[in-house]
Structures are given as C-alpha cells and as structure tokens.
Amino acid sequence: MTTETRLRIAMQKSGRLSDETQQLLKRCGLKLNVADRRLLAHVTNTPIDIMRVRSSDIPGLVMDGVCDLGIVGDNTLEETALERILLGEKAEYVKTTGLNFGGCRLSLAMPEEFEYQGIKSLDGLRFATTYPQLLKRFAQENGINIDFCLLKGSVEVAPRVGLADGICDLVSTGATLEANGLKEVEVIYRSKASLIQSSTTINAEKQAILDTLLPRIQGVMKAKESKYIMLHAPKNKIEEVSNLMPGKETPTVLPLAGRDDLVAVHVVATETFFWETMEALKVLGCDSILVMPIEKMMG
Ligand code: PRT
C-alpha cells in the first residue's frame, strides 16, 4: 500500500483521446491546468495529479501501480496486457468503466484488387501492424498462419512499398484505407476508451478521493448520452405521448396556466431522440417540443 495521498491519473498527453479526456475531467469539477508542457499537472481543487504520457505507456503505468487510474483505448490496453503476459510481467488491472468516446475498430485490410474469400484466404500472408499480439490472437483463434512486421506509424503504406501483403490497423471512418487503395476485410477487435484502475491496494485517503470521483465520471457519461425533453401535449394523449418517449424514465406531467386541454411533459431520454419521434409527437397534437443537452446527472 502506498503512503502517497494524492490520486494519480494517467491520460494521453496529445492525440485523439486527450481533448475528450480533459473535458471529462473538467466536467467532473477538476480544475487542471494542462496548458504547459509538464508531465505531471496538479489539480488545484482536489488532491489529484494528472500524468500526461503517450497512450501506449498508460496501461503499464496502471498495471505497475505507478498511477492509480488511467484513461486509454481498449485496443492499447488489450495489446499491452497480452504482451506483458507473454513477457511474464504484471498485467492485472480493473476496468472501472467504459467511456463513450474514442470508438474505433482494429481491422485487417487488403489492397482493393485482392480477392477476399473468407479468413482462410489470408493464410500465410504478411501484415504490417502496431498490434502484433491482437493480430496473433486472431490468427490462432481462426486457425491460420499470419506473419507480421511491426510498424508504429504510416502502417497503411506498407502494402504499396512491398513491406507486407496487407495491414492490421485502427479504422474509424475508413477514409485512410480508401485513400491508400485498401479495403477492410475483417474486423478483429472493437474498441472504445476506458477508465482503468490499478489492482494495487490504495490507502484510505486515496480511496475517499476515488469514491467521490467515480460517481462523477459515471454521471458525466450518463449525462452525455441523455437529453432533457420538454413539450406541450394534449391532456387526453399523455399515455400515447409517454409510449413514444425513448428511454425508461417516467415523464413528469405539469399543468399549464389557463389551459385545461394541454399539459407540459418533461422527460429525460436515455436513448437517441430521433426527428421521426418529434414528427410522431406533432401528429399527436404536441407542440413547443424542446430537446436539450444535460450537463450533469446523478442517481
Ligand atoms: O501517440 P500515442 O502513443 O499517445 O498513441 P497513438 O499513436 O495510438 O495516438 P492516437 O492519438 O493516434 O490514438 C489514440 C487512441 O485513439 C487509439 O489508441 C484508439 O483507441 C483511438 N482511436 C480512435 C484511433 C482512431 N480512432 C483512429 N482512427 N486511433 C488511431 N486512428 C488512426 C488509424 O491508426 C489510422 O491511421 O486513424 C486512421 C484511420 O482513421 P479513419 O477515420 O480514416 O478510418
């Protein structure tokens, strides 16, 4: 158990996950100044330090207990865990909560002209990748032999320069593959950012900080996915209106001053609120329909 009383969180210094991670921590009420170039940023209103590092270093820092928490893509986490297991190093961590950003997939992609006829047609081929462990696991699970060459960047140029037959890389929109004359043939892993926790026991002071922080993180995530909906509805259509509302919350029905025929309906929708639902509500005689973002949520 450590004697340190400030909770330490590892996050990506700069890159695809850094802005969203910073916003998440700020929305949890943490005041942090990450404008400077320091590796360790102090949160000024809570005993928390933020360690700003490369994404690929985050899992190891948490697994070794150097940081208590980390925010990292599942792809990096799983790759590091597999590699550490192979090397006989510590690979334990607790996945505290999935976060709703950083979504992508790790895919196998081949040149456009390649005739793909199922996984077996990849047998014996060579792939350029930053994720050799996830690639090897996929090959083993599917009973094929795959060779790989390790590249830390510009993976997509490998087939064109004769370094590999195909690639195994992260994809989000697919634009990079298309721009390089490649087509996605198999998704081997789906990833999002996650909050991970060290499996090392922490002291009571740190535990108390963690107990405050975790519900806040979950609250911010829940709020991000939810919408607050307000509308005016005919009094005799309340049940039909409620049935159209996405999510599981029971609507609040309020009287409207001077109107016996109309009521105000307020509801928190936890699923996507589509234009089609708004149109269906209009058909039922609803108007003044407002859909608003929610900043924070608890309970
Ligand atoms: O630099 P550092 O060591 O911190 O890590 P990194 O090089 O992995 O950083 P970064 O910022 O590129 O990625 C951080 C994390 O963001 C990844 O580990 C994923 O969890 C997540 N993520 C989400 C992505 C993408 N989407 C993504 N599209 N990471 C990389 N890409 C790249 C991909 O490698 C390819 O080059 O984007 C390109 C493809 O994008 P599309 O939209 O054209 O398909």
Side-chain angles (χ1 to χ4, degrees):
M1 195 186 288
T2 59
T3 51
E4 174 66 53
T5 53
R6 292 179 72 84
L7 197 76
R8 196 176 284 168
I9 307 176
M11 65 167 272
Q12 190 188 28
K13 188 168 191 226
S14 66
R16 288 172 188 264
L17 302 181
S18 57
D19 283 354
E20 296 246 37
T21 303
Q22 249 179 69
Q23 273 172 31
L24 168 65
L25 298 176
K26 281 187 180 163
R27 290 179 79 186
C28 288
L30 306 191
K31 290 206 168 102
L32 61 152
N33 178 12
V34 292
D36 58 34
R37 293 180 164 272
R38 276 182 304 168
L39 172 71
L40 205 63
H42 299 293
V43 174
T44 53
N45 59 345
T46 319
I48 294 178
D49 291 333
I50 309 291
M51 201 159 169
R52 298 161 66 222
V53 293
R54 294 201 66 158
S55 232
S56 47
D57 290 334
I58 296 173
L61 288 168
V62 174
M63 289 166 187
D64 288 336
V66 176
C67 291
D68 307 296
L69 295 176
I71 294 177
V72 67
D74 291 335
N75 51 305
T76 311
L77 184 60
E78 189 77 358
E79 178 70 21
T80 312
L82 291 172
E83 190 179 280
R84 285 186 152 230
I85 290 166
L86 201 71
L87 296 170
E89 292 173 2
K90 205 167 171 236
E92 290 84 35
Y93 63 90
V94 179
K95 191 161 164 177
T96 308
T97 193
L99 304 169
N100 48 15
F101 59 85
C104 58
R105 52 198 190 270
L106 182 65
S107 292
L108 300 182
M110 297 300 295
E112 293 284 6
E113 60 280 8
F114 180 80
E115 277 182 36
Y116 184 64
Q117 286 161 350
I119 294 173
K120 297 285 176 215
S121 59
L122 304 175
D123 199 19
L125 299 186
R126 181 176 162 87
F127 287 81
T129 190
T130 315
Y131 299 92
Q133 304 307 331
L134 286 168
L135 176 61
K136 275 196 271 177
R137 183 172 75 182
F138 171 82
Q140 269 162 18
E141 283 172 0
N142 287 282
I144 53 171
N145 286 310
I146 275 181
D147 189 13
F148 71 88
C149 66
L150 187 64
L151 284 186
K152 293 284 181 187
S154 306
V155 175
E156 57 282 348
V157 300
R160 220 182 320 144
V161 297
L163 209 56
D165 301 296
I167 69 165
C168 169
D169 197 17
L170 298 174
V171 181
S172 41
T173 62
T176 306
L177 292 184
E178 205 182 313
N180 286 281
L182 298 167
K183 63 180 177 194
E184 193 173 0
V185 296
E186 285 292 331
V187 175
I188 72 167
Y189 189 80
R190 290 195 187 270
S191 175
K192 274 191 176 183
S194 283
L195 175 73
I196 55 164
Q197 193 180 334
S198 168
S199 54
T200 312
T201 313
I202 55 172
N203 59 33
E205 284 95 334
K206 281 190 176 190
Q207 189 61 50
I209 309 166
L210 196 60
D211 291 345
T212 309
L213 184 64
L214 291 186
R216 287 191 190 183
I217 290 181
Q218 277 146 5
V220 171
M221 283 300 122
K222 208 168 152 198
K224 208 172 154 190
E225 287 162 2
S226 306
K227 295 277 179 279
Y228 194 82
I229 296 155
M230 298 197 308
L231 53 88
H232 291 170
K235 214 170 183 175
N236 59 357
K237 293 280 169 57
I238 294 297
E239 206 180 323
E240 285 151 281
V241 169
S242 301
N243 290 340
L244 276 176
M245 295 294 190
K248 295 171 190 69
E249 306 285 329
T250 317
T252 304
V253 179
L254 302 160
L256 276 174
R259 296 292 299 257
D260 285 339
D261 54 335
L262 283 181
V263 286
V265 179
H266 292 196
V267 70
V268 173
T270 51
E271 291 163 19
T272 313
F273 194 72
F274 294 107
W275 280 105
E276 288 79 357
T277 316
M278 304 248 289
E279 284 149 12
L281 287 167
K282 277 251 42 81
V283 171
L284 283 177
C286 299
D287 63 11
S288 305
I289 308 170
L290 294 180
V291 180
M292 291 174 292
I294 297 172
E295 198 182 298
K296 295 184 179 70
M297 254 175 114
M298 200 165 268

